C-alpha cells in the first residue's frame, strides 16, 4: 500500500468510517489482500517513528519503538484470533477476511493515540477515547459487513478488544517508565 493510500485510508476511517465500511463491502475502497500486513503493521510502524522526537534520546527511542511495535503487533494478532473464535460455525475464508479487516482497520485510533501516552495523567483520557472510538468503528464495521450478528459474540468481542487494549496501554506505559526513566 502506498503512503498516499495509507493516509487516505486513515482519514476515511477517522472521519467517515461508515462510508468506508460501505465502500469496503461493495469493493470500492480498494480492498487490500492482507489488511494486517498491508495496512495495520505500516500504521503501527509509522506511529513508532512519530515517538522518536518525543523521546529525544535516540538509543532509548529505538528500544521503546521496537518494544511497543512488538507489543502492538502481538495485541493485534491476539485480538483478531480471539474474535474469530467467538463467531459461530467453522470460519470460512471470507468471514475470516472480514473479521481481520474490521479489527485491523478499527484499531487505528488506538495506535494513533500512542504518542499521547507521554502526557502523564492525561494519557488515560486519550487512551480511553481511542478505545471507545475503536469500539464504535468496529461495531459499525461488523454491522455493515455481516448480515447476521450473534449478540453474545459482539459483546465478547468488545470485551476482548477493550481488555487487550487496556493491557497494552498499561504495558506500554510501564515500558516508557522502565526504558526512558520518565516519571509518569
Amino acid at each position: 500500500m502506498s503512503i498516499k493510500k495509507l493516509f487516505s485510508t486513515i482519514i476515511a476511517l477517522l472521519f467517515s468510517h461508515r462510508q468506508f465500511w460501505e465502500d469496503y463491502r461493495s469493493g470500492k475502497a480498494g480492498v487490500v489482500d492482507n489488511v494486517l500486513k498491508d495496512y495495520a503493521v505500516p500504521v503501527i510502524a509509522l506511529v513508532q517513528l512519530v515517538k522518536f522526537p518525543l523521546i529525544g534520546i535516540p538509543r532509548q527511542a529505538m528500544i521503546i519503538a521496537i518494544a511497543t511495535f512488538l507489543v502492538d503487533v502481538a495485541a493485534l494478532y491476539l485480538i483478531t484470533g480471539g474474535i474469530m473464535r467467538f463467531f459461530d460455525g467453522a470460519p470460512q475464508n471470507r468471514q475470516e477476511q472480514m473479521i481481520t479487516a474490521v479489527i485491523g482497520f478499527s484499531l487505528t485510533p488506538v495506535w494513533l493515540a500512542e504518542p499521547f501516552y507521554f502526557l502523564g495523567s492525561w494519557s488515560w483520557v486519550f487512551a480511553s477515547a481511542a478505545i471507545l472510538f475503536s469500539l464504535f468503528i468496529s461495531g459499525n464495521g461488523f454491522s455493515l459487513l455481516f448480515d447476521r450478528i450473534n449478540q453474545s459474540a459482539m459483546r465478547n468481542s468488545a470485551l476482548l478488544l477493550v481488555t487487550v487494549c487496556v493491557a497494552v496501554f498499561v504495558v506500554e506505559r510501564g515500558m516508557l517508565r522502565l526504558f526512558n526513566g520518565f516519571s509518569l
Side-chain angles (χ1 to χ4, degrees):
M1 179 179 279
S2 69
I3 295 291
K4 182 179 178 182
K5 179 70 174 157
L6 185 72
F7 281 113
S8 66
T9 303
I10 291 171
I11 298 296
L13 277 166
L14 295 178
F15 298 108
S16 60
H17 54 277
R18 190 154 184 86
Q19 182 65 43
F20 175 83
W21 290 122
E22 290 171 1
D23 291 345
Y24 184 84
R25 183 176 186 161
S26 67
K28 294 180 195 173
V31 179
V32 292
D33 293 330
N34 188 344
V35 173
L36 301 182
K37 182 184 82 160
D38 295 335
Y39 174 78
V41 172
V43 170
I44 294 170
L46 184 69
V47 169
Q48 304 314 316
L49 291 176
V50 170
K51 290 180 187 178
F52 271 60
L54 297 174
I55 295 170
I57 303 170
R59 183 176 179 189
Q60 290 175 342
M62 184 177 62
I63 292 170
I64 291 171
I66 291 170
T68 56
F69 176 82
L70 293 174
V71 169
D72 284 341
V73 170
L76 172 66
Y77 281 96
L78 176 69
I79 292 170
T80 303
I83 289 177
M84 281 188 200
R85 298 288 178 215
F86 294 139
F87 284 83
D88 294 333
Q92 303 147 349
N93 193 22
R94 178 69 179 148
Q95 182 179 359
E96 284 182 11
Q97 183 182 12
M98 288 191 303
I99 292 171
T100 302
V102 169
I103 300 307
F105 286 126
S106 68
L107 285 174
T108 300
V110 173
W111 300 321
L112 295 179
E114 281 184 20
F116 296 104
Y117 292 178
F118 292 94
L119 296 178
S121 60
W122 282 97
S123 62
W124 281 99
V125 173
F126 287 101
S128 300
I131 292 170
L132 289 174
F133 195 41
S134 287
L135 279 175
F136 186 66
I137 292 172
S138 66
N140 280 334
F142 279 123
S143 67
L144 288 172
L145 294 181
F146 290 92
D147 297 327
R148 282 187 318 121
I149 300 176
N150 183 349
Q151 292 301 320
S152 66
M154 286 300 295
R155 182 185 64 243
N156 293 339
S157 298
L159 182 62
L160 177 68
L161 190 135
V162 168
T163 303
V164 172
C165 287
V166 168
V168 165
F169 171 75
V170 170
V171 166
E172 288 184 4
R173 291 269 300 174
M175 286 189 306
L176 287 173
R177 190 170 208 169
L178 177 70
F179 291 129
N180 210 15
F182 279 173
S183 57
L184 299 174

